[in-house]
């Protein structure tokens, strides 16, 4: 039988590659920083080549590290699941799910009790770090992503179709100089999500306001923070109708009432072969039945 490197060295490598930080990986594994470094170095000696580009505050997997990560991370995750299942009194199925925080808080988490009741053996590891589609197979089994369309090489199921709303503070329509006409956007900042960069242009073009420019376009990577910024009068948010309705925030109003179809949708995405895995298939079927068909 071929000799293998120590499991601790493999585990240290995977954690550093996923987190991009030796310090964070050491905390995750309850190791000292020197101990973690020794484990990574022992794997590099075993393989005979460096696996990371080492920078001041970060360790980034190089080409060899990325290739090794893609091959061994899923196997390590399966090993972890197998050990957990054997040491548990009941079968444990684990799904590593990438998801945007706003969808998680507004749509998924209010229904998780139903998921647990239907499938008590299914446990979710929630990852809101972003770029979920790019990390499928490398720490994530599946992702709920916001996108125009999905690479046809992946399995994808559209979860919704939506409209773009202009969302602002109630004070904008109740003040002394209320915002009543779309042309008045020229006096406001537009708040746009990085995963939905075309929402402002799509709404402006559909409204026939191609020449109107906001004071500025402020980019966010958090839908929840966009809504809060809009509520505080820092600008108007170009978001989905569902974001506005599910927020149910009395401080917010929809402006103008112009109906514009969004170019973006939420999608359930995984690699095609991942659907053969029981936890992925179980969650996929529950998600479509509960949150899409309902």
């Amino acid at each position: 039988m071929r000799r293998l490197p120590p499991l601790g060295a493999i585990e240290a490598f995977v954690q550093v590659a996923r987190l991009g930080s030796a310090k964070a990986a050491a905390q995750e594994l309850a190791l000292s920083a020197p101990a973690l470094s020794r484990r990574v170095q022992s794997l590099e000696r075993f393989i005979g080549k460096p696996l990371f580009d080492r920078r001041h505050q970060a360790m980034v997997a190089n080409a060899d590290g990325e290739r090794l990560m893609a091959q061994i991370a899923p196997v390590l995750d399966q090993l972890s699941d197998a050990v957990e299942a054997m040491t548990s009194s009941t079968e444990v199925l684990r799904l590593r799910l990438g998801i945007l925080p706003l969808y998680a808080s507004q749509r998924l988490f209010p229904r998780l009790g139903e998921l647990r009741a239907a499938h008590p053996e299914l446990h979710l590891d929630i990852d809101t770090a972003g770029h979920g589609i790019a990390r499928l197979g490398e720490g994530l089994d599946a992702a709920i992503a916001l996108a125009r369309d999905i690479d046809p090489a992946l399995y994808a199921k559209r979860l919704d179709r939506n409209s773009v709303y202009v969302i602002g503070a109630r004070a904008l329509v109740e003040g002394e100089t209320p915002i009543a006409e779309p042309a008045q956007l020229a006096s406001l900042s537009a708040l746009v999500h990085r995963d939905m960069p075309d929402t402002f242009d799509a709404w402006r073009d559909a409204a026939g306001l191609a020449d109107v420019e906001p004071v500025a376009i402020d980019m966010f990577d958090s839908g929840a923070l966009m809504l809060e910024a809009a509520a505080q009068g820092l600008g108007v948010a170009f978001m989905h109708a569902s974001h506005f309705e599910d927020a149910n925030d009395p401080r917010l109003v929809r402006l103008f009432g112009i109906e514009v179809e969004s170019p973006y949708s939420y999608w359930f995405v995984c690699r095609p072969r991942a659907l053969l895995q029981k936890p992925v298939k179980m969650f996929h079927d529950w998600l479509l039945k509960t949150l899409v068909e309902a």
Side-chain angles (χ1 to χ4, degrees):
M1 182 176 179
R2 292 183 60 184
R3 188 168 62 95
L4 294 174
L7 180 59
I10 295 174
E11 188 178 31
F13 161 74
V14 169
Q15 286 297 331
V16 174
R18 283 179 172 165
L19 298 175
S21 164
K23 180 179 180 181
Q27 292 174 343
E28 184 74 17
L29 296 174
L31 295 171
S32 67
L36 180 122
S37 295
R38 287 194 294 271
R39 292 190 181 189
V40 173
Q41 290 166 6
S42 72
L43 179 63
E44 291 178 319
R45 287 195 298 271
F46 185 94
I47 292 174
K49 59 183 68 176
L51 299 172
F52 292 98
D53 292 329
R54 288 165 168 81
R55 302 170 186 172
H56 178 59
Q57 294 291 340
M59 292 178 64
V60 180
N62 58 25
D64 289 323
E66 289 180 353
R67 186 162 57 250
L68 181 62
M69 180 70 173
Q71 296 180 53
I72 70 171
V75 177
L76 185 63
D77 290 337
Q78 292 172 14
L79 177 62
S80 176
D81 289 347
V83 172
E84 183 175 10
M86 290 298 295
T87 56
S88 174
S89 58
T90 59
E91 181 185 17
V92 173
L93 300 176
R94 188 166 298 280
L95 174 72
R96 299 167 183 86
L97 179 68
I99 187 170
L100 293 173
L102 194 59
Y103 189 93
S105 63
Q106 290 188 338
R107 293 297 179 93
L108 180 62
F109 272 64
R111 309 297 290 271
L112 279 185
E114 298 172 39
L115 175 62
R116 179 56 54 85
H119 302 292
E121 72 278 25
L122 180 61
H123 292 257
L124 303 183
D125 287 342
I126 300 294
D127 187 322
T128 62
H131 305 292
I133 293 177
R135 295 187 291 127
L136 291 173
E138 299 180 13
L140 295 180
D141 302 311
I144 295 178
L146 190 59
R148 279 180 170 270
D149 47 41
I150 304 296
D151 185 339
L154 298 171
Y155 171 84
K157 185 69 175 181
R158 191 191 300 268
L159 302 180
D160 72 349
R161 293 185 184 274
N162 236 303
S163 298
V164 177
Y165 274 18
V166 184
I167 305 169
R170 185 172 296 278
L172 290 177
V173 298
E174 295 180 350
E176 294 182 0
T177 56
I179 299 296
E181 299 296 333
Q184 292 175 277
L185 288 174
S187 66
L188 301 169
S189 294
L191 312 179
V192 176
H193 199 287
R194 293 187 188 280
D195 287 337
M196 303 168 62
D198 297 331
T199 47
F200 171 69
D201 286 337
W203 187 91
R204 182 176 60 174
D205 292 346
L209 299 167
D211 294 332
V212 173
E213 293 291 342
V215 172
I217 297 179
D218 298 340
M219 306 300 293
F220 286 71
D221 62 4
S222 166
L225 291 181
M226 282 180 68
L227 291 170
E228 183 61 30
Q232 294 192 25
L234 302 182
V236 291
F238 288 79
M239 300 179 71
H240 279 172
S242 61
H243 297 145
F244 172 74
E245 293 160 358
D246 291 342
N248 194 27
D249 188 334
R251 299 174 300 167
L252 295 171
V253 294
R254 178 191 177 189
L255 301 175
F256 312 129
I258 299 174
E259 197 72 24
V260 175
E261 182 180 358
S262 175
Y264 299 96
S265 292
Y266 282 104
W267 302 77
F268 174 90
V269 190
C270 66
R271 293 185 174 184
R273 65 176 180 269
L275 276 179
L276 301 176
Q277 300 171 12
K278 189 174 180 180
V280 176
K281 184 67 164 57
M282 184 179 291
F283 179 78
H284 166 273
D285 293 349
W286 173 85
L287 181 71
L288 297 188
K289 180 179 180 180
T290 305
L291 296 185
V292 178
E293 298 175 4

